[in-house]
Amino acid sequence: MTAQVIDGKAFAATMRGKIASHVARLKEVHHVTPGLAVILVGQDPASEVYVRNKNKSTVEVGMNSYEHKLPADTSEADLYALIDQLNADPAVHGILCQFPVPDHLSERDIVARIDPAKDVDGLHVLNAGLLASGQRAMVSCTPLGCLMLLRDQLGNLSGKNAVVIGRSNLVGKPVAQLLLRDSCTVTIAHSRTANIEEVVRGADIVVAAVGRAEMVKGDWIKKGAVVIDVGINRIPAPERGEGKTRLVGDVDYASAAEVAGAITPVPGGVGPMTIACLLANTVTACCRANGFPEPEGLTA
Amino acid sequence: MTAQVIDGKAFAATMRGKIASHVARLKEVHHVTPGLAVILVGQDPASEVYVRNKNKSTVEVGMNSYEHKLPADTSEADLYALIDQLNADPAVHGILCQFPVPDHLSERDIVARIDPAKDVDGLHVLNAGLLASGQRAMVSCTPLGCLMLLRDQLGNLSGKNAVVIGRSNLVGKPVAQLLLRDSCTVTIAHSRTANIEEVVRGADIVVAAVGRAEMVKGDWIKKGAVVIDVGINRIPAPERGEGKTRLVGDVDYASAAEVAGAITPVPGGVGPMTIACLLANTVTACCRANGFPEPEGLTA
């Protein structure tokens, strides 16, 4: 048996199409254009690429993109003044600050400064609390992407045994909350878990978000399980030439694909979902801010 | 094998003793007396008993108790004015509003009005978020009580398989967060869980918080497991006379006690821990408000 490959890139493209239609409708019917503000402090080259991609994707679906590039030595006070201004700006429905930021700034304090209703990255403690108590939250993009792929693959998730490997605030814990909300039986496994292979072997759904290259082996996977691999790890690839590297997930793809019913590849699985979910969250935030109905299929 | 009975009443008494010492030290060294304000709206007889007990226990450990009894027709504006006043009062370190409240008031909005740092019931969404993201939170009293009993029984919980039955915001979900923080492998089971007996049979720790009388049977329990029964269900007890009732937990005590290593009875298990944890939270809130070190053994 060879697993179906879950094409995150294609799914994300379809999702961006839905978002574009929704944005067009918001403009036509309500004369409102969702707007996403992205703050970049400093000139980290990787961050500049991410911000450029976010901007490009935002504009492509018909939304407004507001880029704010600040020098690396921007003071906390100046950064907060900008955030306060964006919080108050009715044309801005989503705000994110690209991380990492220079050392003199605190990521936690920056997130806390953003209006939770505009926190499209879903990082604010209040959003964690809303998610944890089953209320309407802004949900982090990667966890939301995992949920979307699973719903698309399985339909109703109720009663499925789900094992989430990893307990980070960014992925593992919110994914667990989302799967619990969809009525999975959820187990959270991590570095202290005894007999982790056995725990994973009981799962209909495996979400690996632990950050260890190819840790989850094929013989940990129950036949027919759906495997979502959130890991992105760069490892040496001498077969491609001296000094070359390649990206792998937290799952040993080759052996897992022999057993799983469906599996996300790395790259091309969960990764492309992240920006699509960021755009979805911006549309959601815009609808909530204006009292419009929640956009269907774009939220948890 | 017959299980050790976990005497929550005795444990809570010991804890109240520790709290009293801590309060005495706060008074002597810092000239600060922790204060707990309890608001009761209306004359629900059960609520009046609870409030009286909380007041009595607060005073017994040397803390200040502030009771605010409001008529049943108190307006939202008047209630919020009182909460705002208590939020601003430096002599008040903990605030709780006894639920249920009359229908014209919203429990969720009342909780949201309380300063999260004084929310000794641990019900505020921000506290749920802090707990979910592993930060310093005020933790609900019943989940905290479960954690204290488990730590006392088992010492280090790291790597234990814990199954929490029930996914309520009040108990199931926060207990799962606390056990995850203590590095258990945590499974959350609930009404949609398939083969729940088998899931529970894998657990070193079982926390039952589902609200169904004697649902968890002895043959669901792994030999030697520690069983914490949060349920309090009143069932008919014709053997005690016509119309008589008795309290039972979510666990079928007689059969479970044959297999478990240790088990909480109902009543006398988790129940008595709740007020003790409320007092503990008030001391914790007082220490945090004043920048004193966290009281040892009284917090998560």
Side-chain angles (χ1 to χ4, degrees):
Chain A
M1 176 171 169
T2 302
Q4 183 199 332
V5 180
I6 299 175
D7 186 343
K9 209 170 156 187
F11 189 89
T14 306
M15 209 172 138
R16 283 200 304 271
K18 280 187 206 165
I19 292 167
S21 314
H22 209 92
V23 169
R25 211 159 43 244
L26 285 173
K27 288 179 176 178
E28 197 187 309
V29 179
H30 298 288
H31 310 291
V32 170
T33 304
L36 173 63
V38 179
I39 304 170
L40 175 62
V41 185
Q43 279 96 33
D44 180 71
S47 291
E48 287 193 323
V49 173
Y50 293 139
V51 168
R52 197 156 50 237
N53 285 341
K54 286 172 188 176
N55 168 54
K56 189 166 152 273
S57 307
T58 305
V59 172
E60 272 172 7
V61 296
M63 305 201 298
N64 290 329
S65 169
Y66 308 100
E67 261 186 67
H68 294 269
K69 295 192 172 181
L70 307 179
D73 62 353
T74 298
S75 72
E76 192 176 78
D78 284 349
L79 176 59
Y80 288 0
L82 172 61
I83 293 174
D84 292 348
Q85 178 203 313
L86 296 171
N87 282 341
D89 185 343
V92 172
H93 305 99
I95 303 169
L96 74 85
C97 183
Q98 184 69 44
F99 291 153
V101 288
D103 286 345
H104 68 285
L105 298 168
S106 150
E107 295 188 351
R108 188 182 282 184
D109 293 349
I110 291 170
V111 168
R113 191 81 182 194
I114 295 173
D115 178 350
K118 297 189 178 187
D119 166 38
V120 282
D121 256 349
L123 301 178
H124 196 289
V125 170
L126 196 77
N127 280 316
L130 290 168
L131 179 62
S133 48
Q135 295 180 62
R136 244 168 48 160
M138 294 305 305
V139 180
S140 306
C141 301
T142 301
L144 185 57
C146 295
L147 179 73
M148 299 260 180
L149 292 176
L150 284 168
R151 282 182 178 167
D152 180 61
Q153 195 63 36
L154 292 166
N156 190 346
L157 305 185
S158 177
K160 303 280 182 199
N161 277 326
V163 172
V164 178
I165 313 173
R167 52 174 163 166
S168 69
N169 290 336
L170 279 178
V171 184
K173 288 200 274 188
V175 165
Q177 296 282 2
L178 289 171
L179 295 178
L180 187 61
R181 185 188 278 208
D182 268 23
S183 294
C184 292
T185 302
V186 179
T187 299
I188 306 165
H190 45 78
S191 56
R192 304 298 173 82
T193 294
N195 300 319
I196 193 164
E197 313 88 273
E198 259 179 59
V199 173
V200 175
R201 231 172 261 137
D204 307 311
I205 293 169
V206 179
V207 179
V210 73
R212 284 183 55 189
E214 301 178 323
M215 184 184 99
V216 179
K217 308 296 179 194
D219 63 0
W220 299 22
I221 304 293
K222 181 161 97 176
K223 195 172 165 171
V226 177
V227 179
I228 304 290
D229 189 351
V230 182
I232 299 180
N233 312 284
R234 190 168 286 284
I235 62 167
E239 74 280 7
R240 296 186 179 181
E242 209 187 304
K244 296 282 180 188
T245 61
R246 61 191 179 97
L247 292 180
V248 298
D250 292 347
V251 178
D252 180 33
Y253 186 85
S255 65
E258 292 290 309
V259 196
I263 186 168
T264 58
V266 175
V270 175
M273 294 297 292
T274 304
I275 288 190
C277 287
L278 176 68
L279 304 176
N281 276 346
T282 306
V283 174
T284 300
C286 173
C287 290
R288 290 180 185 169
N290 287 284
F292 306 150
E294 300 269 301
E296 237 173 87
L298 301 184
T299 57
Chain B
M1 174 171 171
T2 302
Q4 182 197 333
V5 180
I6 299 175
D7 187 343
K9 209 170 155 182
F11 188 89
T14 307
M15 207 172 140
R16 282 199 305 271
K18 279 188 208 164
I19 293 167
S21 316
H22 208 93
V23 169
R25 210 158 46 243
L26 285 173
K27 287 178 178 179
E28 197 187 308
V29 178
H30 299 287
H31 311 290
V32 170
T33 305
L36 173 64
V38 178
I39 303 170
L40 175 62
V41 186
Q43 280 97 35
D44 179 71
S47 291
E48 287 192 322
V49 172
Y50 293 138
V51 168
R52 197 155 52 237
N53 285 341
K54 286 171 187 176
N55 168 54
K56 189 168 153 272
S57 307
T58 305
V59 172
E60 273 173 8
V61 296
M63 306 202 297
N64 289 330
S65 169
Y66 308 100
E67 259 186 68
H68 295 269
K69 295 191 172 182
L70 307 179
D73 62 352
T74 298
S75 70
E76 191 178 78
D78 285 350
L79 175 58
Y80 289 180
L82 172 61
I83 293 174
D84 292 348
Q85 178 204 313
L86 297 170
N87 283 341
D89 186 344
V92 172
H93 304 100
I95 303 169
L96 76 86
C97 183
Q98 184 70 45
F99 291 152
V101 288
D103 286 345
H104 69 285
L105 298 168
S106 150
E107 294 187 355
R108 184 182 284 182
D109 293 349
I110 291 170
V111 168
R113 191 84 183 191
I114 296 172
D115 178 349
K118 297 190 178 188
D119 166 39
V120 283
D121 257 349
L123 300 179
H124 197 289
V125 170
L126 196 78
N127 280 315
L130 290 167
L131 180 61
S133 48
Q135 297 180 61
R136 245 170 48 162
M138 295 305 306
V139 180
S140 306
C141 302
T142 301
L144 185 58
C146 295
L147 180 73
M148 300 261 179
L149 292 176
L150 284 167
R151 283 182 178 166
D152 181 61
Q153 196 63 37
L154 292 167
N156 190 346
L157 306 185
S158 178
K160 302 281 183 198
N161 276 326
V163 173
V164 178
I165 313 174
R167 52 173 163 166
S168 69
N169 290 337
L170 279 176
V171 185
K173 289 199 274 188
V175 165
Q177 296 282 4
L178 290 169
L179 295 177
L180 188 61
R181 185 188 278 208
D182 268 24
S183 294
C184 292
T185 302
V186 179
T187 299
I188 306 165
H190 46 77
S191 56
R192 304 297 173 84
T193 294
N195 300 320
I196 193 163
E197 313 88 274
E198 259 180 60
V199 173
V200 175
R201 231 171 260 135
D204 307 310
I205 293 169
V206 179
V207 179
V210 72
R212 285 183 56 188
E214 301 178 323
M215 184 183 99
V216 179
K217 308 298 180 194
D219 62 0
W220 299 21
I221 304 292
K222 180 160 98 176
K223 196 172 166 172
V226 177
V227 179
I228 304 290
D229 189 352
V230 183
I232 300 179
N233 312 285
R234 191 168 284 284
I235 61 167
E239 74 281 7
R240 297 185 179 182
E242 209 187 303
K244 295 284 182 190
T245 61
R246 62 189 179 96
L247 291 181
V248 298
D250 292 346
V251 178
D252 180 34
Y253 185 85
S255 65
E258 294 288 311
V259 196
I263 185 168
T264 58
V266 176
V270 174
M273 293 297 292
T274 303
I275 287 188
C277 288
L278 176 68
L279 304 176
N281 276 345
T282 306
V283 174
T284 300
C286 173
C287 291
R288 289 180 185 169
N290 287 283
F292 306 150
E294 301 270 302
E296 237 173 86
L298 299 184
T299 56

